Amino acid sequence: MKISVVSPGAQFIYEEIIEKLRENDTKSGGSTSVSKAFEKALNTTTVASTIKSATSYKDIFIEASRKYGVSYDLLTAMAQQESGFNTNAVSKSGAMGIMQIMPETAKHLGLEHPYDAYENIMAGAKYISEKLQEFGGNVEKALAAYNAGSNAVKEYNGIPPYVETQNYVKNIKAIMRRGANVPYTNYVSRTASREDLEADLKKLLRELPDADEYQVLKNTLAEINYL
């Protein structure tokens, strides 16, 4: 699974297993490269429907869309324009995370963990929904308000004559027309317990394709008593 590691516990588990596999590589002369196969597995395996500790970015956007009544296309276009789906993005003005939430806006929205992908996307969806409601469902005005503030939109009765804001609205509309490139990145819950992460990781590893490289990996994981 492609991992957007928010949980320090998750990072620890993955690094711990990789280190054990590397030790095994060294003992066997490094010919099997099972540690590389493990890293590849983390970046290619999809999240199973029964996994508790992780979900996909796509599913988070769908949930946010349904919860706040904002179109999926709009939310994903905003995320692509704002940060390129980078959870750790920080702008020069201090905007944070995927949806680039300003510190004061984060307080207003109750966003406590701005670099948590799930919380950030939900906060961004809530904020743009407020702007859509404020401007009678007008997407251009709502986007301009998200970028430049409601007062500027009201002052000019539309998109203010700021190059940044005008380009922002234009770019998002263009992305909406062609569709955003939502990365298939799996989000690991910040609150997941080590037990949940261990159980889910083992489940995903057991369900790896029957390719030779993964068979060697499975055998090695069994040798170190991980599966």
Side-chain angles (χ1 to χ4, degrees):
M1 55 182 171
K2 284 189 176 178
I3 299 297
S4 172
V5 179
V6 177
S7 166
Q11 182 68 60
F12 176 76
I13 290 171
Y14 307 140
E15 290 182 346
E16 185 180 76
I17 299 305
I18 288 173
E19 185 58 35
K20 288 182 180 179
L21 292 171
R22 282 175 178 160
E23 289 177 6
N24 192 287
D25 281 351
T26 300
K27 291 177 182 178
S28 63
S31 58
T32 58
S33 297
V34 289
S35 60
K36 290 183 179 179
F38 177 78
E39 292 181 77
K40 182 178 178 181
L42 288 177
N43 288 319
T44 57
T45 305
T46 58
V47 174
S49 60
T50 56
I51 294 303
K52 298 178 181 179
S53 63
T55 187
S56 71
Y57 277 12
K58 180 177 179 179
D59 287 341
I60 297 175
F61 282 109
I62 290 173
E63 180 182 342
S65 172
R66 291 172 177 169
K67 182 174 182 178
Y68 292 107
V70 180
S71 81
Y72 171 88
D73 288 340
L74 174 58
L75 292 177
T76 53
M78 289 176 64
Q80 183 165 321
Q81 175 63 27
E82 288 284 3
S83 68
F85 300 96
N86 180 0
T87 58
N88 298 314
V90 183
S91 73
K92 293 180 180 179
S93 58
M96 304 171 289
I98 288 180
M99 303 299 283
Q100 289 291 274
I101 311 293
M102 292 293 289
E104 286 302 313
T105 304
K107 292 179 182 178
H108 161 70
L109 297 169
L111 176 57
E112 297 181 1
H113 306 97
Y115 300 107
D116 178 296
Y118 180 88
E119 292 186 28
N120 192 284
I121 291 169
M122 287 296 170
K126 181 180 180 181
Y127 193 49
I128 190 62
S129 73
E130 291 179 357
K131 297 305 173 187
L132 285 165
Q133 184 174 8
E134 183 178 0
F135 292 101
N138 187 300
V139 174
E140 290 189 348
K141 289 183 178 180
L143 286 171
Y146 192 100
N147 178 263
S150 294
N151 289 338
V153 176
K154 292 175 182 176
E155 179 181 351
Y156 293 99
N157 192 30
I159 303 173
Y162 311 149
V163 174
E164 177 188 331
T165 303
Q166 291 180 343
N167 287 337
Y168 176 82
V169 174
K170 181 178 68 175
N171 290 343
I172 288 178
K173 289 175 66 179
I175 295 171
M176 288 178 69
R177 285 193 295 272
R178 65 177 182 265
N181 299 317
V182 184
Y184 195 89
T185 300
N186 291 342
Y187 161 81
V188 178
S189 172
R190 182 181 54 79
T191 58
S193 68
R194 182 182 178 92
E195 290 74 21
D196 287 340
L197 292 164
E198 288 273 16
D200 287 346
L201 179 56
K202 288 178 180 179
K203 178 176 177 59
L204 290 166
L205 290 171
R206 284 195 295 268
E207 295 177 355
L208 286 173
D210 291 327
D212 290 342
E213 62 178 326
Y214 291 141
Q215 190 57 54
V216 174
L217 171 60
K218 287 181 180 180
N219 292 340
T220 306
L221 288 168
E223 288 176 11
I224 64 175
N225 298 315
Y226 191 73
L227 289 183

